[in-house]
Amino acid sequence: MESDGGYLSFEKFKDIMQRMDFISRITFGGLAEPLMNPDFFKMIDFCDKNDIMVDFTTNAMLLDEEKSRKIISSKSIENMAFSFDSFNPTIYGKIRVGASYDIVKRNIERFSELRKGNYPTINVGIVGMRMNIKELKDVILFAQRIGAKTVGIG
């Protein structure tokens, strides 16, 4: 039951979850981008079938339309947080090296449009730094426009 390329494999995940059958909620994210794990949606299917609620955080770089639709159709994904650290493309590029401001913003907006009502709940997070702290008003306005429930500053 080795992990695949540094990612938690579905088999390992399933083994852990079956041993901890009292778990009713799980959070993906924090140290790694969940959508990079090739088994992520297998894990979500497992949670769907076992009534385990899911919260997860994403930088939205890999959140294409197909993944958005899978997330929205999941019965277990209850809360989703987007890390979006700047509304200035230049500053965003300095904070999120290798990510595309335009792709991320488009992916988040598309997800918001595809969402059915208020499910799953959307949250927006920003890591507050000297270079982006003046953008808090923009973060709040963006969060409001996409229907986010909360804004978090880390």
Side-chain angles (χ1 to χ4, degrees), residues 10-72:
F10 173 68
E11 289 305 317
K12 185 72 169 175
F13 171 81
K14 184 177 166 184
D15 180 57
I16 293 167
M17 296 305 289
Q18 287 172 337
R19 289 174 192 231
M20 300 178 70
D21 62 354
F22 56 89
I23 298 291
S24 62
R25 178 175 298 276
I26 188 168
T27 301
F28 291 99
L31 298 176
E33 171 57 45
L35 296 176
M36 288 184 72
N37 187 324
D39 288 341
F40 178 71
F41 286 103
K42 288 181 186 176
M43 295 175 194
I44 296 303
D45 288 342
F46 178 90
C47 291
D48 282 349
K49 290 173 185 164
N50 291 280
D51 296 320
I52 299 167
M53 300 313 294
V54 174
D55 301 324
F56 87 98
T57 300
T58 180
N59 61 29
M61 185 66 191
L62 301 174
L63 188 65
D64 59 24
E65 184 171 345
E66 179 183 356
K67 288 178 182 136
S68 291
R69 290 187 185 280
K70 284 181 180 180
I71 290 164
I72 291 165

Side-chain angles (χ1 to χ4, degrees), residues 20-149:
M20 300 178 70
D21 62 354
F22 56 89
I23 298 291
S24 62
R25 178 175 298 276
I26 188 168
T27 301
F28 291 99
L31 298 176
E33 171 57 45
L35 296 176
M36 288 184 72
N37 187 324
D39 288 341
F40 178 71
F41 286 103
K42 288 181 186 176
M43 295 175 194
I44 296 303
D45 288 342
F46 178 90
C47 291
D48 282 349
K49 290 173 185 164
N50 291 280
D51 296 320
I52 299 167
M53 300 313 294
V54 174
D55 301 324
F56 87 98
T57 300
T58 180
N59 61 29
M61 185 66 191
L62 301 174
L63 188 65
D64 59 24
E65 184 171 345
E66 179 183 356
K67 288 178 182 136
S68 291
R69 290 187 185 280
K70 284 181 180 180
I71 290 164
I72 291 165
S73 68
S74 166
K75 70 175 190 170
S76 60
I77 298 177
E78 194 170 57
N79 297 297
M80 189 164 165
F82 294 114
S83 295
F84 198 50
D85 293 317
S86 179
F87 288 86
N88 176 312
T90 303
I91 293 173
Y92 182 87
K94 289 179 182 177
I95 296 170
R96 296 280 176 174
V97 177
S100 167
Y101 170 87
D102 293 326
I103 290 172
V104 168
K105 187 169 184 261
R106 182 178 67 234
N107 288 348
I108 294 171
E109 290 170 337
R110 179 182 51 237
F111 183 87
S112 174
E113 291 166 8
L114 292 171
R115 214 167 51 126
K116 297 170 186 160
N118 292 321
Y119 189 84
T121 300
I122 294 176
N123 305 290
V124 176
I126 179 172
V127 176
M129 297 175 250
R130 285 186 183 144
M131 66 174 92
N132 70 355
I133 201 70
K134 293 179 182 177
E135 298 180 49
L136 286 179
K137 181 179 177 184
D138 294 330
V139 172
I140 293 167
L141 291 173
F142 179 74
Q144 182 179 30
R145 187 164 55 80
I146 64 166
K149 185 176 179 182

